[in-house]
Amino acid sequence: MTDVTDRQTQEIPTGLSRTGMTANALKAAISDHLLYSICRPAAVLTTQNYYTALALAVRDRLQGRWMPTTQTFLDLSKKVTCYLSAEFLMGPQLGNNLLNLGIEESAREALADLGQDLDAVLACEEEPGLGNGGLGRLAACYLDSLATLQRPSIGYGIRYEFGIFDQEIHEGWQIERTDNWLSSGNPWEVYKPDMNYSAGWAGHTEQYVDVAGHFRVRWVPGHVVKGVGYDTAVQGYGVPNCNTLTLWSARAIESFALEAFNTGDYYKAVEQEVTAETVTKVLYPNDEPEIGKRLRLAQQYFFVTCSLQDILRIHLEVAGRPLRELPDQWAVQLNDTHPSIAVAELMRLLVDEHHVHWDEAWDITVRTFGYTNHTLLPEALETWPLRLFDESLPRHLEIIYEINNHFLEQVRTRFPDDPDRVSRMSLIGEDGGKCVRMAHLATVGSHRINGVAALHSELLKASVLKDFYEMWPDRFGNITNGVTPRRFLALSNPGLRDLFNETIGDGWLTDLYKLRELEPYAEDPEFLKRWRAVKRANKSRLAEYVHTTTGIELDPTWMYDIQVKRIHEYKRQHLNALHIVTLYHRLKTQPGLVIPPRVFIFGGKAAPGYFMAKRIIKLITAIGATVNNDPDVNRFLRVVFLPNFNVKNAHLVYPAANLSEQISTAGKEASGTGNMKFMMNGALTVGTLDGANVEIREEAGAENFFLFGLTVEEVEQLQATGYRPADYIERNAELTAVLQLISDGTFTHGDTEILRPVLDSLVFHDPFLALADYASYIECQDRISRVWNDRDHWSKMSILNAARSGKFSSDRAIREYCDEIWNVGPMGVNL
Ligand SMILES: *Cc1c(COP(=O)(O)O)cnc(C)c1O
């Protein structure tokens, strides 16, 4: 070690070990951090230590861009976007930062010089699982695009101590393990203890008259916690801009005049301080109704108030701007209703704390916020029981009543003699006891409301927000989701990146529409050969991972048919399972039958309290255990349930797919983003006309997309006239046989009870109409097998899919948000 540092002080001019981008400079920086930050002698250094050292060296380099970026926007000469999201599913940071800084190769060389392999070092990173799935990952993709498009922005969220649980599969069942992502430390975050705000909770309100004679209200919280900020750098690709993600963590507040202190109950006070920190303890699953309600509301309010106070501090104290300019300097986006309490909180801060007149405060609020809706599923629309809300946030409830009074007065004026409409639109619902409707609060408090795919935005206007659309048609729009091609193409599919770069240059990384230049190569035999070699290598890479995690061996020449996403009845993993059983049945009953061999790969977590989703996992693993070990069928079929699907292993999954399963019931999936990641990587989609599938098919061309199933209109009609699954079973002998196989215990060692709940739901009360789409799905899958047999044709289709995936870059989506909602332009940064 002394040797290394001696050489370093001789060779590297002062400061370069923090900024230099060459392999030599990085090597010196890693050695520096091993000595001064990791503090371990050379004899005991682990790969994990090298990971941390390289991460710290990279963070130093980010900081040289981060501080100038922050300094440049702090005067607010440019408008800033704030993306409020209860989830940011960022994924591993090191590889992405190396890519965006353009120093992947220098880092590889530096580590090699130190006897380390970059890939092994990258594998050490524990990803921050601070999100459930698509919604949290979307927020992360948007931060990447905001930085790359040089838009000044801050992401605000929650630093959960425990993120989404780790999933293990034991005997085919999901087991949850707590996610301890901070156990080895987090080199990317910078703790800012001086950046802290108070967040109240419960208590009561008081009215008073201030010295100027104005009537005022103050909230006297029952207790208060402190929110402290942890900042993470978000480096744009190929630009100096480096934005900020601020995540709030709850702490006990020191020496606050707690009631317990006043009454002398010291130990009760200490106890309360300990419980303060539970607010940001754990991320809740998004698809589990009625769990942890109170704490969830506490989390939402906590991160929202810290974020708004931070915005106001910068606006008033740092930039010295007047409050009325807030909407000119800041665009605050609500990622679903999770942060929608922000509407009431900004009103409280403006009216109660800054003594702004109500009407002006409301004008500021509405012009500041935009709201993105992510779901039409009624069970997923957030409402809070009135009593819980009143106990937790009494002042906010008063404010919501006041907003409601003003708002409903407007409704009555616009639509006289329509009391039904007034009660439908009220912020206070009567559905099963009085409640606060958060989607209504977000809608009323925002100047723009958008859905996340063309179809979804239309359905929003026609269903859950129809009344609001009729009131304010100009407020509604669509911005189809996107994903970042840096992470989901360049970083996770280096083989394809190189092929693209050599063929059309690297402009596609920042303008994904440029992939269209690949279209002519779909006919080029040389390109086709290299395209197939890349896909084959990606399939081998995934096969190796599958083998080490599950013990199952896969043949990379087989078709990889993949469905990875949260397990949910509306996403219909069980429909996919019915296809596998159909093929099993054919192979068993028709000896000598030859079919194109396929491996079915599933991945995804089920919410811990979602009974049916967990049974669907068991259905898949049970079929897998039978199929994989039956020599009659395992020459043609393999079934894998990949445990613990997350961003890190997603990097291996999407690039290896031949077929992407996007089979939700039409009208249920708002957009989907997994569908886009598959398309970019050249998978063909089998899908319904749902969410962004519609646009994927439009872009790819109908002839390059495998369509099946009922349309939204047909689904609605079937549900209106009465869906009778028995009709479909009686009409279809193959379906009858398939259900019989599951029912008689073929996949469960004769046990006829384990999978009964799944069967019963399919056969008796399935709101997602799986059996209604069965015949169409199987027919489509048979067509897919025939096309797969024509390998040149398949490759051509898959190249055209990748070449036409430009629309689904998050850069396109963020440009639309900036132009249509935020009015935020680019900001140059001088280093
Ligand atoms: C993209 C992504 C999702 C969303 O997948 P959908 O198919 O759109 O539901 C969920 N989880 C992870 C880890 C992802 O990367």
Side-chain angles (χ1 to χ4, degrees):
M1 287 302 288
T2 29
D3 199 70
V4 172
T5 42
D6 279 353
R7 255 193 297 127
Q8 175 200 327
T9 44
Q10 281 159 21
E11 285 178 13
I12 310 293
T14 321
L16 208 58
S17 85
R18 299 262 183 187
T19 57
M21 306 289 251
T22 62
N24 259 333
L26 280 173
K27 183 181 161 190
I30 295 165
S31 305
D32 241 25
H33 277 295
L34 286 172
L35 181 63
Y36 294 109
S37 310
I38 314 286
C39 297
R40 291 277 166 83
V44 298
L45 286 177
T46 61
T47 313
Q48 178 76 40
N49 294 145
Y50 279 92
Y51 161 73
T52 308
L54 176 58
L56 291 172
V58 170
R59 199 185 87 185
D60 289 338
R61 278 140 191 85
L62 296 177
Q63 266 153 233
R65 290 155 179 73
W66 196 7
M67 288 312 102
T69 306
T70 310
Q71 184 64 49
T72 309
F73 88 71
L74 276 179
D75 68 359
L76 299 184
S77 56
K78 300 279 183 186
K79 194 174 178 185
V80 180
T81 290
C82 295
Y83 201 80
L84 263 61
S85 180
E87 304 186 7
F88 284 93
L89 192 53
M90 297 294 283
Q93 292 295 289
L94 179 55
N96 201 246
N97 283 326
L98 292 173
L99 173 74
N100 284 11
L101 286 171
I103 56 171
E104 236 178 338
E105 282 323 303
S106 330
R108 190 176 293 280
E109 211 178 304
L111 282 173
D113 265 10
L114 295 164
Q116 299 293 314
D117 170 44
L118 176 62
D119 295 317
V121 166
L122 288 171
C124 287
E125 182 164 358
E126 179 92 42
E127 77 172 77
L130 307 185
N132 274 284
L135 174 143
R137 184 52 236 176
L138 182 78
C141 283
Y142 283 178
L143 294 188
D144 182 79
S145 285
L146 279 162
T148 300
L149 294 172
Q150 302 189 277
R151 312 298 154 123
S153 58
I154 308 174
Y156 283 113
I158 302 174
R159 184 180 178 271
Y160 301 103
E161 199 177 322
F162 300 102
I164 186 74
F165 64 87
D166 285 329
Q167 178 196 56
E168 291 176 11
I169 302 294
H170 287 198
E171 298 181 346
W173 297 97
Q174 168 175 297
I175 304 286
E176 299 95 24
R177 300 261 175 246
T178 48
D179 155 63
N180 217 339
W181 70 287
L182 289 167
S183 65
S184 308
N186 173 10
W188 302 106
E189 65 186 12
V190 180
Y191 178 38
K192 304 266 175 80
D194 55 330
M195 190 168 88
N196 66 81
Y197 302 97
S198 295
W201 188 249
H204 63 276
T205 63
E206 290 173 357
Q207 305 184 343
Y208 67 102
V209 177
D210 70 9
V211 284
H214 294 110
F215 173 81
R216 308 236 173 255
V217 180
R218 78 163 76 85
W219 175 27
V220 184
H223 39 105
V224 176
V225 302
K226 186 168 76 174
V228 294
Y230 287 80
D231 283 356
T232 299
V234 181
Q235 176 64 49
Y237 174 83
V239 292
N241 299 57
C242 183
N243 288 333
T244 300
L245 169 63
T246 295
L247 299 178
W248 302 106
S249 182
R251 295 284 184 281
I253 208 149
E254 306 93 10
S255 65
F256 189 80
L258 291 159
E259 240 171 84
F261 272 114
N262 298 338
T263 57
D265 190 346
Y266 172 76
Y267 287 101
K268 186 171 171 228
V270 172
E271 228 168 73
Q272 281 184 1
E273 301 210 356
V274 173
T275 50
E277 297 180 7
T278 61
V279 173
T280 52
K281 192 60 85 180
V282 63
L283 166 73
Y284 286 98
N286 57 357
D287 38 15
E288 201 170 306
E290 297 296 329
I291 177 175
K293 276 271 184 190
R294 187 179 303 264
L295 194 51
R296 184 97 153 237
L297 181 60
Q299 288 183 336
Q300 295 182 353
Y301 175 66
F302 166 80
F303 100 88
V304 160
T305 187
C306 290
S307 309
L308 291 177
Q309 289 180 63
D310 197 46
I311 291 167
L312 289 177
R313 176 188 61 89
I314 297 170
H315 186 83
L316 298 170
E317 293 167 31
V318 183
R321 302 277 178 154
L323 275 173
R324 71 184 140 71
E325 286 181 11
L326 199 73
D328 307 317
Q329 312 299 340
W330 302 87
V332 181
Q333 193 66 21
L334 308 173
N335 194 26
D336 213 282
T337 54
H338 315 147
S340 58
I341 188 64
V343 172
E345 173 64 1
L346 184 56
M347 285 301 286
R348 188 191 69 82
L349 290 167
L350 293 174
V351 173
D352 292 1
E353 311 253 318
H354 292 279
H355 297 177
V356 178
H357 187 270
W358 178 277
D359 293 337
E360 192 186 356
W362 184 245
D363 177 67
I364 290 172
T365 298
V366 173
R367 289 198 294 129
T368 300
F369 289 118
Y371 160 49
T372 304
N373 173 284
H374 285 270
T375 182
L376 303 167
L377 297 181
E379 66 270 28
L381 288 175
E382 277 190 308
T383 60
W384 299 105
L386 211 60
R387 224 180 55 124
L388 166 67
F389 203 99
D390 191 23
E391 286 165 10
S392 308
L393 297 167
R395 178 57 184 146
H396 296 81
L397 187 58
E398 291 174 0
I399 289 171
I400 287 169
Y401 280 140
E402 186 70 20
I403 295 170
N404 206 28
N405 285 340
H406 286 260
F407 166 60
L408 294 182
E409 207 36 59
Q410 262 182 286
V411 178
R412 285 189 199 98
T413 311
R414 254 309 284 289
F415 303 96
D417 308 315
D418 195 348
D420 282 354
R421 181 184 295 266
V422 172
S423 66
R424 284 199 309 269
M425 295 180 80
S426 174
L427 304 187
I428 307 299
E430 298 281 357
D431 353 288
K434 284 203 171 194
C435 62
V436 184
R437 295 161 161 168
M438 301 309 273
H440 292 200
L441 179 63
T443 302
V444 170
S446 300
H447 66 291
R448 285 285 186 283
I449 299 107
N450 73 287
V452 291
L455 175 68
H456 167 67
S457 296
E458 287 309 310
L459 293 174
L460 204 56
K461 294 190 288 188
S463 61
V464 286
L465 297 181
K466 180 168 191 280
D467 294 319
F468 295 88
Y469 173 64
E470 285 168 3
M471 179 116 177
W472 299 306
D474 295 345
R475 287 196 191 182
F476 285 76
N478 170 62
I479 298 182
T480 300
N481 282 168
V483 303
T484 170
R486 269 77 62 185
R487 179 178 292 272
F488 288 107
L489 250 182
L491 182 63
S492 52
N493 199 345
L496 207 53
R497 171 183 60 186
D498 294 344
L499 177 58
F500 287 177
N501 286 349
E502 283 169 41
T503 312
I504 58 167
D506 64 2
W508 58 273
L509 270 149
T510 47
D511 177 5
L512 203 64
Y513 284 113
K514 285 219 165 84
L515 290 182
R516 280 183 186 152
E517 293 166 22
L518 291 167
E519 282 191 29
Y521 293 91
E523 310 283 353
D524 177 343
E526 188 53 33
F527 184 86
L528 236 72
K529 203 172 122 206
R530 292 189 61 192
W531 170 271
R532 278 208 285 261
V534 169
K535 183 62 83 179
R536 170 72 65 87
N538 292 338
K539 288 164 78 175
S540 297
R541 184 178 69 161
L542 179 61
E544 201 175 298
Y545 180 76
V546 164
H547 186 244
T548 48
T549 49
T550 68
I552 300 169
E553 301 222 26
L554 302 182
D555 181 336
T557 66
W558 289 24
M559 184 204 297
Y560 278 28
D561 175 337
I562 307 187
Q563 187 173 22
V564 284
K565 47 182 75 245
R566 289 298 290 255
I567 310 296
H568 204 292
E569 288 163 281
Y570 87 78
K571 293 176 183 277
R572 301 199 295 192
Q573 281 92 354
H574 44 1
L575 180 58
N576 188 345
L578 293 181
H579 175 228
I580 305 172
V581 177
T582 304
L583 296 179
Y584 171 89
H585 175 247
R586 287 180 189 168
L587 288 165
K588 286 302 239 187
T589 53
Q590 303 170 46
L593 178 68
V594 172
I595 63 172
R598 279 201 209 201
V599 45
F600 295 86
I601 299 174
F602 294 84
K605 296 173 185 180
Y610 189 172
F611 172 84
M612 196 60 75
K614 290 178 138 180
R615 291 289 158 134
I616 291 173
I617 291 178
K618 182 62 182 173
L619 170 69
I620 294 162
T621 54
I623 294 169
T626 308
V627 164
N628 297 342
N629 295 304
D630 182 338
D632 293 345
V633 295
N634 71 11
R635 291 178 296 138
F636 303 105
L637 303 177
R638 292 286 158 96
V639 181
V640 173
F641 193 95
L642 198 65
N644 203 39
F645 180 60
N646 60 12
V647 179
K648 193 174 177 179
N649 56 49
H651 287 191
L652 305 173
V653 172
Y654 295 112
N658 298 120
L659 186 65
S660 155
E661 296 272 353
Q662 307 300 335
I663 60 177
S664 52
T665 315
K668 302 298 178 190
E669 185 78 87
S671 162
T673 49
N675 46 6
M676 302 168 184
K677 301 169 198 165
F678 279 113
M679 183 196 197
M680 277 177 200
N681 285 280
L684 301 187
T685 304
V686 55
T688 49
L689 284 177
D690 198 17
N693 294 355
V694 177
E695 291 155 81
I696 285 177
R697 180 166 172 266
E698 242 165 53
E699 296 294 305
E703 69 284 8
N704 298 306
F705 185 101
F706 296 110
L707 180 68
F708 78 97
L710 300 175
T711 62
V712 171
E713 295 75 24
E714 289 164 342
V715 165
E716 280 169 3
Q717 196 174 17
L718 183 56
Q719 275 167 341
T721 54
Y723 167 54
R724 281 176 307 275
D727 294 352
Y728 299 88
I729 302 169
E730 284 159 19
R731 258 189 263 143
N732 191 323
E734 200 162 43
L735 175 57
T736 307
V738 161
L739 294 174
Q740 184 59 37
L741 282 171
I742 299 171
S743 158
D744 67 16
T746 306
F747 306 107
T748 44
H749 311 286
D751 188 313
T752 56
E753 289 313 306
I754 295 175
L755 301 177
R756 177 75 46 207
V758 182
L759 279 176
D760 282 353
S761 85
L762 288 174
V763 174
F764 299 116
H765 44 80
D766 175 15
F768 304 109
L769 314 183
L771 301 190
D773 275 343
Y774 171 83
S776 164
Y777 182 56
I778 297 299
E779 208 177 271
C780 188
Q781 289 286 7
D782 290 343
R783 193 167 82 237
I784 288 166
S785 288
R786 289 194 296 274
V787 176
W788 173 255
N789 274 338
D790 182 352
R791 222 48 65 88
D792 277 351
H793 185 49
W794 184 282
S795 297
K796 193 182 150 187
M797 286 169 76
S798 83
I799 291 165
L800 290 179
N801 264 267
R804 296 171 181 176
S805 66
K807 178 177 181 182
F808 305 105
S809 167
S810 46
D811 296 345
R812 186 271 313 148
I814 283 299
R815 274 209 179 81
E816 291 178 4
Y817 276 100
C818 284
D819 295 347
E820 294 165 28
I821 301 183
W822 301 333
N823 190 27
V824 165
M827 178 186 82
V829 172
N830 296 316
L831 295 185

